[in-house]
Amino acid sequence: MNKLNDVATEVASVKLLIDGKFVDSATSQWRDVVNPATQDVLARVPFATPAEVDAAVASAKEAFRTWRKTPIGARSRIFLKYQQLIRENMGELAALLTAEQGKTLPDAEGDVFRGLEVVEHASGIGHLQLGELANNVAGGVDTFTLLQPLGVCAGITPFNFPAMIPLWMFPMAIATGNTFVLKPSEQDPMVTMRLVELALEAGVPPGVLNVVHGGEEVVNAICDHPDIKAVSFVGSTGVGTHVYHRASKAGKRVQCMMGAKNHAVVLPDANREQTLNALAGAAFGAAGQRCMAASTAVLVGEAASWIPDLVERARGLKVNAGDQPGTDVGPVISCASRERIEKLIASGVEQGAKLELDGRSPKVPGYESGNFVGPTIFSGVKPGMRIYDEEIFGPVLVILTAETLDEAIELVNANPNGNGTAVFTQSGAAARRFQEDIDVGQVGINVPIPVPVPLFSFTGSRASKLGDLGPYGKQVVLFYTQTKTVTQRWFDDDTLHVGVNTTISLK
């Protein structure tokens, strides 16, 4: 954690949001928000005190008393307004995101837009939160269900999508009648806070949405707090596993979307040009800092001969600051992240993989202090090498080979992670076998990053996901609600009395 000196005190402080008010934290612990391309300090973010976390939860708990009974149409109209405000401020939001996270401006707009899609979905909550009715389940007896909100919910979000993932969480939670406490990433909270400001402008009432900042202590406080009913998490496997077990032990509903090692399987009959372009974009876009990045290619049979062409495409990508025109690959989030990626690249060389393209220490004029790693490609990679076994989370593509599709499927299924995968082929039979036999949550067929639109739910399997239900889509409505079943019978005044029934029958 960075202690601020006298010069840094002139930098703006990121606020907390408690009970509808943006307030300064009383903490003595702060961290700098740093532009990863320049190392300029953009702001300082507080690590909230236990009392501030309690105040945020108390505000949400009090607001729930009235918010839960707010008409569903009124909730829907707030999110109709909210999506309009996001659209109107798209340029500002993307610029903020690029400055603090490092993405290219087009990619930053994509980050905001994919979150906006969930906001639009939340505005349709009226038909998403419907119960069910069965008439005359017995003589004169009807049964129906209600999907009712849980109470105070919380979200813990990562640095790599500081717009999209918060928008996965609090809009759906609030639209279903809950109140929310959000903990953004402490590395890039500024765009998240701007989105929160717009949510209040759209009409989210005081206390319905609250924000606290911090690290492990604040995460633990959220997991342990008795008044929080559900926790949504997206981030690394280590933290996610901790959150899942700690919050579950405290009796909460928990969904944790975690680490990945996403494989792109390429068959020899695939469209060569489109596949090579897709692999380069999916591996190196966002500097490889996507949980759905295609970081691993499995070239089947003769497709192994495509490696030189793939290297040439990657070599042609432009590494620069995200706000510079024509940039393909921006900086990674921090100096520590860059150092970790470079150590993993070195380990690949030491363990015998062939370094086809070395992206370490690229020259970026005017941004010599930036956290840059250029596109890097290894071939001859095998399970057991660190570059295969670990999630690198940088612009590094590792290439394995397989003789057959069945061998490739076996390889993918043997990996502990199951977030996303893709197959590139022009054979419908091969694609169908792949989608049937692969044990991965999200499957793309000639689509390198198969993140579903909000009509469906983001999923995941094995070590990439803990919890039964995923964020957004139909699944998240079930996650943020509890089902109440009502069985009712009405009698007319002149109904014949039939006596006492001591059985469980409703006849």
Side-chain angles (χ1 to χ4, degrees):
M1 187 179 310
N2 299 325
K3 295 289 185 180
L4 294 175
N5 54 32
D6 291 338
V7 175
T9 57
E10 299 177 3
V11 175
S13 298
V14 179
K15 309 292 186 182
L16 307 175
L17 174 63
I18 300 175
D19 200 28
K21 300 180 180 65
F22 292 97
V23 297
D24 291 311
S25 174
T27 188
S28 60
Q29 295 181 301
W30 299 82
R31 177 178 178 138
D32 292 341
V33 179
V34 177
N35 184 320
T38 64
Q39 306 306 320
D40 292 339
V41 177
L42 304 175
R44 60 176 193 163
V45 61
F47 281 37
T49 66
E52 288 165 344
V53 175
D54 287 344
V57 177
S59 171
K61 184 179 180 181
E62 178 62 25
F64 179 67
R65 296 174 59 186
T66 53
W67 180 248
R68 67 189 297 268
K69 296 183 178 180
T70 300
I72 203 164
R75 284 183 258 149
S76 177
R77 284 188 290 274
I78 287 173
F79 290 100
L80 286 170
K81 176 65 174 177
Y82 189 35
Q83 64 88 23
Q84 176 189 346
L85 291 172
I86 292 174
R87 289 181 181 278
E88 291 173 354
N89 291 274
M90 180 70 76
E92 177 198 355
L93 292 165
L96 264 177
L97 199 159
T98 292
E100 63 179 342
Q101 203 277 341
K103 290 185 180 183
T104 67
L105 281 170
D107 197 30
E109 288 192 3
D111 189 328
V112 178
F113 181 78
R114 291 308 299 264
L116 172 62
E117 290 181 318
V118 179
V119 175
E120 293 171 339
H121 198 58
S123 68
I125 194 63
H127 73 272
L128 296 173
Q129 202 172 343
L130 296 175
E132 297 175 315
L133 169 68
N135 186 238
N136 284 323
V137 295
V141 177
D142 304 325
T143 297
F144 60 91
T145 60
L146 308 171
L147 297 181
Q148 296 189 318
L150 302 175
V152 182
C153 301
I156 301 165
T157 65
F159 75 83
N160 60 328
F161 284 93
M164 180 184 79
I165 293 177
L167 292 175
W168 280 9
M169 293 184 184
F170 73 80
M172 293 303 298
I174 291 172
T176 49
N178 300 282
T179 54
F180 205 80
V181 176
L182 175 67
K183 194 214 83 68
S185 170
E186 65 276 17
Q187 296 189 78
D188 48 9
M190 295 167 61
V191 69
T192 308
M193 294 307 295
R194 182 65 182 125
L195 286 165
V196 167
E197 290 175 357
L198 294 176
L200 299 191
E201 185 179 339
V204 173
V208 171
L209 175 60
N210 302 270
V211 183
V212 293
H213 304 284
E216 183 178 357
E217 291 181 1
V218 173
V219 168
N220 288 342
I222 289 171
C223 292
D224 296 342
H225 204 292
D227 290 331
I228 292 177
K229 306 302 181 184
V231 177
S232 180
F233 171 89
V234 177
S236 69
T237 297
V239 179
T241 301
H242 169 78
V243 167
Y244 180 79
H245 291 295
R246 187 159 186 151
S248 297
K249 187 177 180 180
K252 303 179 190 342
R253 289 188 184 181
V254 192
Q255 56 176 209
C256 290
M257 313 308 297
M258 306 184 297
K261 198 71 177 181
N262 306 311
H263 297 68
V265 175
V266 181
L267 300 185
D269 70 339
N271 183 295
R272 188 181 184 113
E273 291 300 309
Q274 291 182 353
T275 300
L276 291 171
N277 288 335
L279 287 177
F284 307 121
Q289 298 175 121
R290 295 170 175 150
C291 66
M292 288 290 289
S295 60
T296 306
V298 183
L299 306 184
V300 178
E302 295 177 2
S305 65
W306 298 8
I307 292 175
D309 288 343
L310 182 56
V311 170
E312 285 308 304
R313 274 173 174 68
R315 199 190 306 275
L317 297 176
K318 182 178 179 181
V319 179
N320 207 339
D323 60 358
Q324 296 302 301
T327 298
D328 298 301
V329 181
V332 297
I333 187 67
S334 67
C335 294
S337 180
R338 174 180 55 79
E339 291 169 1
R340 177 181 174 275
I341 294 165
E342 290 175 344
K343 287 179 180 177
L344 282 165
I345 294 172
S347 78
V349 175
E350 293 166 4
Q351 292 185 308
K354 183 180 179 181
L355 185 57
E356 301 276 358
L357 180 63
D358 189 351
R360 289 173 291 184
S361 303
K363 303 301 181 185
V364 185
Y367 297 93
E368 287 77 12
S369 298
N371 308 321
F372 293 100
V373 180
T376 298
I377 297 178
F378 280 100
S379 65
V381 177
K382 298 182 183 302
M385 294 180 177
R386 287 186 63 198
I387 55 173
Y388 179 76
D389 292 348
E390 298 182 28
E391 184 177 23
I392 299 173
F393 226 62
V396 181
L397 176 65
V398 301
I399 299 175
L400 295 82
T401 58
E403 290 300 318
T404 65
L405 175 59
D406 288 338
E407 183 183 331
I409 291 172
E410 184 177 347
L411 175 68
V412 176
N413 287 345
N415 191 278
N417 297 293
N419 206 34
T421 189
V423 64
F424 291 88
T425 181
Q426 297 190 75
S427 166
R432 192 176 191 284
R433 189 192 326 165
F434 186 84
Q435 74 181 40
E436 284 289 308
D437 293 347
I438 209 73
D439 182 16
V440 174
Q442 281 137 160
V443 179
I445 298 173
N446 298 315
V447 175
I449 302 180
V451 177
V453 297
L455 295 173
F456 300 88
S457 296
F458 192 95
T459 54
S461 65
R462 294 179 281 148
S464 293
K465 178 185 177 184
L466 290 172
D468 293 332
L469 300 168
Y472 71 75
K474 294 179 181 179
Q475 288 187 16
V476 86
V477 174
L478 297 176
F479 179 76
Y480 285 127
T481 60
Q482 54 192 344
T483 302
K484 180 181 289 184
T485 303
V486 180
T487 302
Q488 66 179 14
R489 169 185 274 169
W490 297 99
F491 298 98
D492 295 328
D493 290 342
D494 58 353
T495 300
L496 178 66
H497 181 65
V498 294
V500 175
N501 183 1
T502 60
T503 74
I504 61 171
S505 172
L506 291 175
K507 293 180 180 179

